[in-house]
Amino acid sequence: MTEHDAFNAHHAPLGAFASFTLGHPGASGGFDLERAAPPCVPVYIGLERNNVVTAGATRFDLLPFTGDAVAADAVLRYAVSDDTPARAGTLATWPLAAVDREFSLAADRWRCGDLGFTLYSPVVGAPDLREAPLVAQRAALVPAVRAELVIDNRHGHKPRRAFIGIDGSDPCRGLRHLRSGTLVGVAQGGETAIVTEAPGAWSGIGFDAAGVLLESRAGNRDSFLGNTGLVVVEAPPGHVSRFRFALCFYRQGMVTTGLQARYWYTRLFDNIEAVARHALLNFDDAVVAAARDDARWRAAAGLNEHQRFLLAQAVHSYYGSTQLLEHDGQPLWVVNEGEYRMINTFDLQVDHLFFELAKHPWAVRDTLELYRRRYSYEDQVRLPGESVEHPGGLAFTHDMGVANNFAPAGRSSYERAGLNGCFSYMSHEQLLNWVLCAAAYAQASGDDVWLLQQRATLQRCLASLQQRDHPEPALRDGLMGADSSRCDGGSEITTYDSLDASLGQARANSYLGGKTWAAHVLLQHLLQRLGDAEGAGQAATQARLAAQTLCAHLQPDGALPAVLEPASPGWAARVIPVIEGLVYPWHAGCREALALDGPHAELLQVLRQHLQAVLKPGVCLFPDGGWKLSSTSGNSWLSKIFLCQHVARAILGLPWQAEGLAADAAHAGWLKDPANSRWAFSDQVDSGRVVGSRYYPRGVTAWLWLDERGLAGPPP
């Protein structure tokens, strides 16, 4: 294993907002329960050496996840001198070069010498909790990750100890022994635990790992003093032994404010001991599920090694941000925004959409309903340079709150008035996102009852989009032309909030224009299904106007300006995400709108020409071949690159040859760079350096890649 294979990854149960993060060398991983960051504590995974005794001392080798903890001297906090047995040289860390790692969609494996260690995290979906029996709920939502130690002691002549352990990271709760029936483990309070049912296993707590392992008096191992806890098993000679562990999470009681909610899994399991029992009892099922998921991932036609890594890393990180809660007896689905912890950020929801429709479509429906009921509002609009307010219409907030605090109705944690950049309002884009998600859900689920219930909301969305174009129908061009009154003198922005003017400004933005066109195409389709011929006709007119406006701005270099205002700094910029909007008709039942001989054939031709014009070094390609979302900024989001790559290949027919492979290698290299890799999947990368959106769920747009051979229906 090289340093570029030593990256952290989430190993996360579904819906627990938790991860056992591991993979980056040193003290970089551990139990993450609602931290939204790597815990950065030592993780001890090791094995006693085979028949090696030096000066009467036993030696142990560890995987390289401990940092300097092997030399800890915590006992000196309590005593002037340390009279415990000498520990120097007891523990040694294997060098990276001696360790093999196999990272996949549902498992992560390390092997060194006679030790093998695997973490299993199957790619499960959440069952619809209003219908699923308890047995299915427990299977999908047990808040635990399974781990397995494999010890090859066939050539040994004595038993050898192996262990998993960790340093405590909670300043308020010390480590404790977890012993209940056949369960043996160490826990931090009642919230995290390492547990096994292996015969003869024992737990030890002490000042450091060497001290625990060298302690020969069993009674002394039962001490609670110290911050290092190990679970130790013994591999007999002449055999290959397998030891199973459950790495468990549990947080009881109300965990959110604004909307008071608790974890759904607390309805299914009484405590962390119950979680451990279930996880160990159903260990085989998890291994089989992981093998099934990995087999499909490996067999995915056309995915190269870099794409497989990017997809696997993204899916792991998505699960680490999921949180399934209970509010007033009903399920409440949350995806937290990585390190920022914003709740159900709508910009991310529209990108998680394709993965969630494959795994738990009911969560998409419920999130749309919560936005409609609680996180929508009516506003006015202002044209640029004017102070007069005109009727606006329905819009939606950027998010639902932050850090387990749900925002008041109609407000977000993010948006502020009087700004022209980051933290301003995204009223137009979030309105688009509701329409796009609703159309994709209706197509994927076939839920005609729900769609019928949304008739009035879809009509309000159309009316609001028309007003945000221009209050005077004769002056409309199909795109956004007016800012929300909530900006109060500022101007709206797009989801690319920390980028420059090429993708920051929402008004007259060609990227947002493509999404607006897509929303009108889908509104026409949905309103026709709902029997509203007049509304469908108005949506068709808006879609035609949007396409005409975009096509009319094609420049001599074959590309569209990022902002369709010659006086704007974004006029000279070129951006890849102009093509992004095509993905929604493709996956929401309107592929006829993307036909080369269809009603929007000219737009498809222009967008294909645009992509060819910008995918060039110095424009929208980095020197390493990676995609550069904007010609005027080094700031790029991998999730958006993944989505646009899918559009380029599946819809615009871009061949994926040497240039495509170079791009994939560059993107994987960004995440594997030792300067970036502690953060698992990070989304926002500036010229190869992670600058934000770390520990992030949004990269599951890569799930779209699995759809590129069938090209029918929702993602598999």
Side-chain angles (χ1 to χ4, degrees):
M1 184 169 71
T2 69
E3 63 178 4
H4 289 276
D5 299 311
F7 49 85
N8 262 345
H10 285 83
H11 305 92
L14 176 65
F17 195 14
S19 170
F20 190 77
T21 300
L22 198 66
H24 193 275
S28 300
F31 281 109
D32 160 22
L33 179 54
E34 298 183 354
R35 288 173 177 266
C40 295
V41 299
V43 177
Y44 305 97
I45 303 164
L47 173 64
E48 185 177 352
R49 289 186 186 174
N50 185 18
N51 300 328
V52 175
V53 177
T54 304
T58 305
R59 300 287 187 257
F60 298 86
D61 293 303
L62 295 90
L63 292 175
F65 305 131
T66 61
D68 296 330
V70 294
D73 239 344
V75 69
L76 296 181
R77 292 178 54 213
Y78 297 88
V80 175
S81 62
D82 180 4
D83 61 358
T84 58
R87 299 187 295 273
T90 301
L91 305 182
T93 300
W94 278 302
L96 287 179
V99 181
D100 292 325
R101 183 181 189 182
E102 181 187 353
F103 177 69
S104 63
L105 185 67
D108 205 351
R109 297 175 174 86
W110 292 266
R111 175 165 290 282
C112 190
D114 294 334
L115 179 144
F117 178 70
T118 302
L119 291 167
Y120 298 101
S121 42
V123 186
V124 299
D128 190 333
L129 300 175
R130 296 174 181 84
E131 303 173 358
L134 288 178
V135 64
Q137 295 185 34
R138 291 191 183 101
L141 301 176
V142 58
V145 173
R146 280 86 167 185
E148 187 173 49
L149 272 176
V150 179
I151 308 302
D152 185 350
N153 201 18
R154 286 175 294 178
H155 303 295
H157 300 288
K158 67 170 187 177
R160 297 165 68 188
R161 285 169 286 172
F163 52 89
I164 300 178
I166 202 163
D167 275 6
S169 58
D170 189 332
C172 301
R173 296 173 179 83
L175 293 176
R176 68 179 177 94
H177 299 275
L178 189 155
R179 295 170 185 167
S180 176
T182 58
L183 301 178
V184 176
V186 291
Q188 185 109 63
E191 298 193 336
T192 59
I194 302 172
V195 186
T196 187
E197 289 182 308
W202 55 269
S203 62
I205 295 174
F207 296 112
D208 60 10
V212 173
L213 291 166
L214 293 178
E215 179 55 68
S216 60
R217 296 176 175 85
N220 287 350
R221 299 173 191 155
D222 292 342
S223 169
F224 282 71
L225 198 58
N227 199 42
T228 298
L230 303 180
V231 183
V232 184
V233 293
E234 195 168 87
H239 299 279
V240 175
S241 300
R242 297 179 179 272
F243 302 98
R244 293 173 164 183
F245 298 82
L247 311 178
C248 307
F249 307 86
Y250 196 88
R251 179 154 286 171
Q252 60 185 347
M254 294 297 175
V255 296
T256 62
T257 60
L259 292 175
Q260 286 198 328
R262 61 174 180 153
Y263 280 102
W264 190 272
Y265 63 65
T266 61
R267 296 167 54 114
L268 310 174
F269 306 100
D270 291 336
N271 49 39
I272 203 164
E273 287 83 359
V275 169
R277 287 191 187 91
H278 185 88
L280 292 168
L281 179 64
N282 295 276
F283 201 102
D284 287 336
D285 293 339
V287 172
V288 169
R292 180 195 63 231
D293 294 335
D294 279 345
R296 179 178 169 214
W297 167 80
R298 288 189 178 90
L303 291 190
N304 58 55
E305 61 174 311
H306 309 299
Q307 291 173 322
R308 287 197 298 270
F309 162 74
L310 291 165
L311 173 60
Q313 182 71 307
V315 170
H316 278 270
S317 283
Y318 169 85
Y319 277 87
S321 288
T322 60
Q323 190 173 28
L324 186 48
L325 304 170
E326 177 198 9
H327 169 66
D328 286 348
Q330 297 299 314
L332 174 55
W333 174 260
V334 168
V335 180
N336 291 276
E337 191 179 346
E339 65 171 328
Y340 307 132
R341 294 189 63 186
M342 281 180 274
I343 298 170
N344 285 337
T345 304
F346 220 160
D347 298 348
L348 273 70
Q349 171 63 39
V350 77
D351 289 328
H352 300 156
L353 174 67
F354 310 102
F355 181 79
E356 291 180 347
L357 288 177
K359 291 298 178 183
H360 26 259
W362 68 268
V364 176
R365 178 200 65 210
D366 279 18
T367 303
L368 287 170
E369 284 292 298
L370 187 55
Y371 264 107
R372 183 184 60 81
R373 293 194 313 270
R374 181 178 171 90
Y375 292 103
S376 61
Y377 57 89
E378 294 269 348
D379 64 356
Q380 308 294 307
V381 295
R382 294 178 184 173
L383 294 168
E386 295 185 5
S387 58
V388 176
E389 292 188 352
H390 304 273
L394 179 66
F396 299 89
T397 62
H398 167 270
D399 59 73
M400 298 182 179
V402 64
N404 282 356
N405 300 307
F406 281 89
R411 310 299 300 188
S412 72
S413 69
Y414 175 97
E415 293 160 306
R416 304 177 187 179
L419 301 175
N420 295 297
C422 205
F423 305 117
S424 187
Y425 278 83
M426 300 184 190
S427 305
H428 186 95
E429 182 152 18
Q430 308 311 346
L431 174 58
L432 297 176
N433 289 342
W434 199 93
V435 172
L436 299 172
C437 289
Y441 169 75
Q443 173 66 19
S445 67
D447 191 346
D448 293 336
V449 172
W450 180 86
L451 180 60
L452 184 62
Q453 294 169 347
Q454 309 312 310
R455 189 175 192 270
T457 301
L458 291 167
Q459 291 169 333
R460 291 173 66 200
C461 288
L462 173 60
S464 184
L465 285 171
Q466 290 172 317
Q467 289 298 105
R468 291 168 202 282
D469 179 344
H470 200 287
E472 295 293 331
L475 298 178
R476 290 172 184 162
D477 64 3
L479 307 187
M480 174 190 168
D483 291 294
S484 172
S485 57
R486 286 199 169 194
C487 294
D488 193 19
S491 58
E492 288 185 40
I493 59 173
T494 78
T495 183
Y496 297 95
D497 49 3
S498 57
L499 228 150
D500 62 10
S502 65
L503 281 167
Q505 174 185 320
R507 191 180 60 253
N509 187 288
S510 60
Y511 147 72
L512 207 58
K515 284 183 73 172
T516 304
W517 167 84
H520 284 123
V521 166
L522 293 174
L523 281 168
Q524 177 190 359
H525 172 70
L526 294 174
L527 291 174
Q528 281 176 337
R529 287 181 60 184
L530 292 168
D532 181 0
E534 181 181 357
Q538 293 177 8
T541 296
Q542 287 295 107
R544 176 177 52 79
L545 288 172
Q548 289 176 348
T549 301
L550 288 168
C551 292
H553 283 85
L554 189 67
Q555 297 301 295
D557 65 352
L560 293 170
V563 178
L564 308 182
E565 294 177 343
S568 167
W571 172 261
R574 303 292 183 259
V575 297
I576 292 175
V578 174
I579 70 172
E580 184 178 317
L582 299 179
V583 75
Y584 302 104
W586 188 258
H587 287 283
C590 289
R591 293 190 179 183
E592 68 278 1
L594 304 173
L596 294 180
D597 58 352
H600 301 289
E602 183 184 6
L603 178 62
L604 269 291
Q605 296 280 6
V606 166
L607 292 180
R608 177 180 287 165
Q609 187 175 345
H610 170 85
L611 183 64
Q612 292 170 339
V614 303
L615 277 183
K616 295 177 179 176
V619 185
C620 288
L621 286 181
F622 286 107
D624 61 5
W627 282 26
K628 192 169 182 278
L629 290 179
S630 168
S631 64
T632 55
S633 175
N635 208 351
S636 287
W637 279 258
L638 280 168
S639 60
K640 293 297 192 180
I641 290 173
F642 299 163
L643 190 154
C644 288
Q645 287 179 332
H646 170 67
V647 170
R649 290 189 296 258
I651 302 174
L652 297 179
L654 181 72
W656 209 246
Q657 299 170 339
E659 295 83 358
L661 185 62
D664 294 329
H667 303 149
W670 296 350
L671 292 183
K672 290 184 175 184
D673 188 309
N676 303 327
S677 59
R678 182 170 67 88
W679 289 96
F681 184 88
S682 294
D683 204 19
Q684 190 176 168
V685 183
D686 191 337
S687 303
R689 181 175 61 92
V690 168
V691 294
S693 303
R694 291 171 281 247
Y695 222 55
Y696 220 60
R698 197 178 197 172
V700 288
T701 50
W703 193 258
L704 287 163
W705 299 345
L706 298 182
D707 186 54
E708 289 177 22
R709 287 303 176 97
L711 302 182

